[in-house]
Structures are given as structure tokens and as C-alpha cells.
């Protein structure tokens, strides 16, 4: 069965320091993986997605993630945190249902706090 | 830009009421989804639909039903609202073009059942 585990429910960093949000996945076939971000009182926005074209995926706002099959991981990183990065981040794996329909399976989320 | 619009940002309903949450998307997407979001639990799938009048149960369908009479509109119905259905409800849509298709989300409806 497909699932994702976000290893930290809360992460706190100082502005200007690196960000690492960890995600491990379980999938019985080659997965599609996503990171979404949710700012307070806002809907979810796609940060980046892994589509098997390249293992290092670059997203919006300076975020990137590396797909590591041997470690079944898809960790999200950013070299230098900004105050505006404070939000909740969700790692997502796709489960195929029937024909071409996909279901998104969400992790439990990581709340990122950025201290000045 | 894809737009997914949920009819209400905030709702307060009484226990036992029948509640309708409406969602409309403007990009002709085949798939539509209803999730509920609770702290520490992430997003859990309630129901989804891959075509007009078609629906499938998600992981937590109990106490909910859905309706999709038109491609752009997907309604979530709480048959008899209960306090444990107090939550944030998120609607999403996507194309049926394979595994890499991302979903687009509405702003959410925060429902409080008193």
C-alpha cells in the first residue's frame, strides 16, 4: 500500500539557516511524489513534484527535494529560510485508482516555524 | 490559473442539521475530491469523483455523501451533522492524465457543528 511518513510534526529554524523537512514513502510501484505548502488560512499550493525525470526536483520559492529510492525518501530542503516560509508542509504520494484516476495520500504535515 | 472555489469559508451548523458544502472548478477537470483536515492527521479523503454522476468512497466516508450532477461542481453532504464533523473541509480537482497530475485546492471551509 502507498503511504507517506513525515518524520517531524514541528520544525523550528532561524531566519537565514537551512531548512530540512523529512519525508519517507512506501509504494508498491514507482511513485509520484509531491510537496504542498499551506500558509495560515490559505488553501494548499504545490511546491514541487517528482515525476521520475530527475531525482533532484526544484520547486517554487527556492525549495528543492531529492528522490532517493534506496532510502525511500523525498526530503524537502531550502538553503536559507525566510520568515515567509512559516507554514505547514505536506508530503504526498499518488495512489492509482482504476483507469487514470489518482488519489493523493497525504502525510500528517510538518509545521515550520521561522524565528527572526 | 486553475480556480477551485468553495462556497463558504466559515460555517456554523447545529447538530442534526443537513449540511451542504459546494465546490466549483473552472478548468474542466475530470477528478474532484473532498478531504477533511484535522490537526495531526493531515488530509483524509472522504469521497472522490472521476466523472459526472460517478463517485467513490475515500478513507472516511461515514456520515457523508456527495453529488456530482455537473462536471464543474462537486457537493459534499453531511446527512445529519455531528460535533465530530467539526473540521476544515478542502475540495480539490485534477486532470485524469496519469500519475503525475497535481491537484488544485480550494481555500477550504471551516465547519463548526454545535
Amino acid at each position: 500500500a502507498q503511504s507517506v511518513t513525515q518524520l517531524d510534526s514541528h520544525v523550528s529554524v532561524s531566519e537565514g539557516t537551512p531548512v530540512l523537512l523529512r519525508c519517507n514513502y512506501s509504494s508498491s510501484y514507482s511513485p509520484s511524489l509531491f510537496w504542498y505548502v499551506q500558509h495560515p488560512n490559505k488553501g494548499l499550493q504545490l511546491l514541487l513534484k517528482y515525476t521520475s525525470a530527475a531525482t533532484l526536483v526544484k520547486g517554487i520559492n527556492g525549495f528543492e527535494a531529492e528522490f532517493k529510492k534506496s532510502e525511500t525518501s523525498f526530503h524537502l530542503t531550502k538553503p536559507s529560510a525566510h520568515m515567509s516560509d512559516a507554514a505547514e508542509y505536506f508530503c504526498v504520494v499518488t495512489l492509482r485508482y482504476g483507469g487514470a484516476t489518482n488519489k493523493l495520500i497525504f502525510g500528517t504535515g510538518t509545521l515550520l516555524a521561522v524565528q527572526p | 490559473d486553475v480556480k477551485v472555489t468553495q462556497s463558504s469559508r466559515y460555517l456554523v451548523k447545529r447538530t442534526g442539521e443537513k449540511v451542504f458544502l459546494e465546490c466549483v472548478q473552472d478548468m474542466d477537470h475530470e477528478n474532484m475530491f473532498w478531504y477533511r483536515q484535522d490537526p495531526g492527521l493531515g488530509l483524509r479523503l472522504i469521497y472522490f469523483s472521476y466523472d459526472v454522476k460517478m463517485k467513490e468512497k475515500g478513507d472516511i466516508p461515514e456520515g457523508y455523501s456527495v453529488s456530482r450532477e455537473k462536471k464543474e461542481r462537486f457537493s459534499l453532504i453531511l446527512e445529519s451533522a455531528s460535533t465530530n464533523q467539526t473540521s476544515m473541509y478542502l475540495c480539490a480537482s485534477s486532470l485524469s492524465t496519469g500519475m503525475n497530475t497535481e491537484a488544485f485546492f480550494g481555500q477550504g471551509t471551516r465547519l463548526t457543528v454545535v
Side-chain angles (χ1 to χ4, degrees), chain B residues 1 47-48 56 60 68 82 91 106:
Chain B
D1 280 353
Y47 266 97
F48 66 103
E56 292 293 337
I60 52 165
R68 194 166 181 201
S82 64
C91 175

Side-chain angles (χ1 to χ4, degrees), chain A residues 32 36 38 41 96-97 102, chain B residues 9 37 56 98-100 103:
Chain A
S32 288
Y36 281 82
Q38 186 180 34
N41 299 314
R96 179 173 304 270
Y97 175 86
N102 308 311
Chain B
R9 290 294 302 273
Q37 181 179 13
E56 292 293 337
M99 295 285 287
N100 301 330

Side-chain angles (χ1 to χ4, degrees), chain B residues 7-60:
Chain B
S7 54
S8 305
R9 290 294 302 273
Y10 301 94
L11 275 179
V12 180
K13 297 292 182 180
R14 295 194 179 278
T15 301
E17 275 193 77
K18 190 169 187 177
V19 181
F20 293 85
L21 303 183
E22 307 287 346
C23 175
V24 176
Q25 50 95 2
D26 66 358
M27 284 302 291
D28 203 35
H29 285 173
E30 295 86 0
N31 301 326
M32 295 189 75
F33 307 84
W34 276 106
Y35 289 86
R36 66 176 280 177
Q37 181 179 13
D38 299 289
L41 298 178
L43 277 72
R44 294 178 292 167
L45 182 63
I46 305 171
Y47 266 97
F48 66 103
S49 168
Y50 52 90
D51 201 352
V52 176
K53 297 190 184 294
M54 306 304 290
K55 59 185 179 184
E56 292 293 337
K57 292 180 180 179
D59 300 316
I60 52 165

Side-chain angles (χ1 to χ4, degrees), chain A residues 29-32 34 36 38 41-44 46 49-51 88 90 94-97 100-109, chain B residues 9-10 31 33 35 37 40-43 45 48 50 56-59 90 95-107:
Chain A
Y29 46 77
S30 185
S32 288
F34 306 79
Y36 281 82
Q38 186 180 34
N41 299 314
K42 296 287 180 69
L44 275 80
L46 181 70
K49 64 180 178 180
Y50 167 71
T51 62
E88 190 160 23
F90 293 94
T94 301
L95 170 65
R96 179 173 304 270
Y97 175 86
T101 301
N102 308 311
K103 291 166 56 175
L104 300 183
I105 309 299
F106 282 78
T108 51
Chain B
R9 290 294 302 273
Y10 301 94
N31 301 326
F33 307 84
Y35 289 86
Q37 181 179 13
L41 298 178
L43 277 72
L45 182 63
F48 66 103
Y50 52 90
E56 292 293 337
K57 292 180 180 179
D59 300 316
L90 291 165
L95 285 168
S96 282
T97 54
M99 295 285 287
N100 301 330
T101 305
E102 68 189 85
F104 295 85
F105 285 83
Q107 296 282 74

Side-chain angles (χ1 to χ4, degrees), chain B residues 38-94:
Chain B
D38 299 289
L41 298 178
L43 277 72
R44 294 178 292 167
L45 182 63
I46 305 171
Y47 266 97
F48 66 103
S49 168
Y50 52 90
D51 201 352
V52 176
K53 297 190 184 294
M54 306 304 290
K55 59 185 179 184
E56 292 293 337
K57 292 180 180 179
D59 300 316
I60 52 165
E62 297 79 17
Y64 303 94
S65 62
V66 290
S67 172
R68 194 166 181 201
E69 297 296 319
K70 294 184 177 181
K71 191 174 185 180
E72 68 270 20
R73 186 180 295 272
F74 192 36
S75 303
L76 179 69
I77 303 156
L78 284 65
E79 298 291 343
S80 177
S82 64
T83 55
N84 63 13
Q85 293 178 309
T86 292
S87 187
M88 171 71 87
Y89 290 87
L90 291 165
C91 175
S93 71
S94 72

